[in-house]
Amino acid sequence: MEEVKVIGSRTSGFCTRVEWALKLKSVEYEYLVEDLTNKSPILLKYNPILKKVPVLLHLDKPIAESLLILEYIDEVWKENPLLPQHPYERAKARFWAKFSDEKVLMGSFEACKAQGEGKEKLIETAQEYLGFLEKEIEGKKFFGGERIGYLDLVVGWIPLWLDVMEEIGEMKLIQVDKFPCLHQWCKTFMDNPVIAESAPSRKSLVEYFNASITYIRSLEASKE
Ligand SMILES: N[C@@H](CCC(=O)N[C@@H](CS)C(=O)NCC(=O)O)C(=O)O
């Protein structure tokens, strides 16, 4: 067997997307659970620069950064391709992936942690970003077309993680009437058994976000 290991954290959407890719390609792997409050020597050895999860170890060679890991997995294991075949479509998928991580995800997180003045504006900005994804999925089953692809895995944090952010942040970003296509995509994506089986429990995410948001807010309050 080709030795494949994932250093990860079960509540991390960046790590879950890597597990989804490996599962969709039927690649067997060992999962090394990382305690991010007390980083292990193995994480520091294999990702000494960023010290973040996920890290994919393939035959003892490390690859960091989840988007790059997805590309690597797609190049090494050819079955069930994740990225589109046409170079232009590939470039577009990469654009949306970067936009989703840098703007939609970060914008939603900022809105989640904000309190009081300024929160409404952050909610509007996050919804503006989500609106671009709504247009992108309109008329399609998956971002990847008829099958789950690279971009579906990248925006795969929306159905579960965003739902939890909405609860913890006491806000609603994806109203069904404003985002009908994205809403439908969330259902179709989570109905896939491979996706559902490797997603963390909602309860574990609520606990994780509650603790993280409380901690971040207390740090920010102590700076004021
Ligand atoms: N851009 C990175 C983000 C990874 C990331 O932020 N991982 C978090 C867990 S969700 C982490 O390892 N945090 C530990 C730290 O920042 O010290 C990716 O796509 O892999």
Side-chain angles (χ1 to χ4, degrees):
M1 187 184 109
E2 293 178 282
E3 197 186 68
V4 180
K5 294 181 184 170
V6 177
I7 308 175
S9 161
R10 296 282 183 198
T11 50
S12 161
F14 300 111
C15 299
T16 305
R17 60 173 67 146
V18 168
E19 282 205 272
W20 281 332
L22 291 169
K23 289 250 163 83
L24 287 171
K25 287 178 176 275
S26 306
V27 177
E28 284 185 30
Y29 60 93
E30 183 185 344
Y31 199 90
L32 308 176
V33 178
E34 184 63 30
D35 175 2
L36 291 173
T37 62
N38 180 20
K39 292 179 183 171
S40 67
I42 191 165
L43 175 64
L44 302 179
K45 173 180 171 192
Y46 286 115
N47 193 1
I49 301 175
L50 299 175
K51 305 177 179 70
K52 289 187 180 200
V53 291
V55 178
L56 182 82
L57 297 176
H58 184 207
L59 302 169
D60 212 35
K61 290 200 183 81
I63 302 112
E65 287 296 306
S66 62
L67 297 184
L68 306 182
I69 296 173
L70 292 187
E71 296 225 14
Y72 178 84
I73 291 173
D74 208 28
E75 283 180 29
V76 173
W77 294 280
K78 301 284 182 199
E79 56 274 34
N80 296 332
L82 296 173
L83 275 149
Q85 296 305 304
H86 193 281
Y88 182 65
E89 295 304 320
R90 292 165 84 84
K92 278 206 307 188
R94 291 181 181 119
F95 167 82
W96 286 114
K98 193 166 165 7
F99 174 76
S100 165
D101 272 9
E102 291 177 7
K103 298 290 186 188
V104 193
L105 174 56
M106 292 321 290
S108 304
F109 190 72
E110 288 301 316
C112 171
K113 75 177 170 70
Q115 286 173 303
E117 211 189 321
K119 187 171 178 94
E120 271 315 305
K121 180 79 198 112
L122 290 168
I123 290 177
E124 264 174 42
T125 305
Q127 286 182 320
E128 201 183 306
Y129 293 145
L130 282 160
F132 290 109
L133 291 183
E134 170 73 12
K135 283 211 187 85
E136 191 52 25
I137 190 64
E138 201 179 319
K140 294 189 214 161
K141 185 171 180 193
F142 293 110
F143 287 93
E146 276 310 297
R147 293 177 15 185
I148 290 179
Y150 165 81
L151 190 53
D152 296 279
L153 302 186
V154 175
V155 299
W157 58 275
I158 292 180
L160 250 182
W161 282 261
L162 184 59
D163 184 57
V164 170
M165 277 190 237
E166 287 179 330
E167 179 182 324
I168 307 292
E170 297 172 62
M171 59 182 186
K172 189 75 194 155
L173 293 185
I174 303 208
Q175 288 100 340
V176 190
D177 56 335
K178 276 196 192 158
F179 300 97
C181 305
L182 211 42
H183 207 263
Q184 182 54 50
W185 170 84
C186 286
K187 281 192 170 163
T188 315
F189 182 70
M190 290 311 297
D191 275 349
N192 181 295
V194 173
I195 299 300
E197 113 194 351
S198 334
S201 71
R202 195 175 188 285
K203 184 170 172 282
S204 68
L205 290 183
V206 169
E207 281 166 12
Y208 171 75
F209 271 94
N210 245 329
S212 309
I213 296 288
T214 306
Y215 178 66
I216 293 170
R217 283 178 183 163
S218 73
L219 278 187
E220 287 179 355
S222 69
K223 279 190 217 146
E224 284 163 9

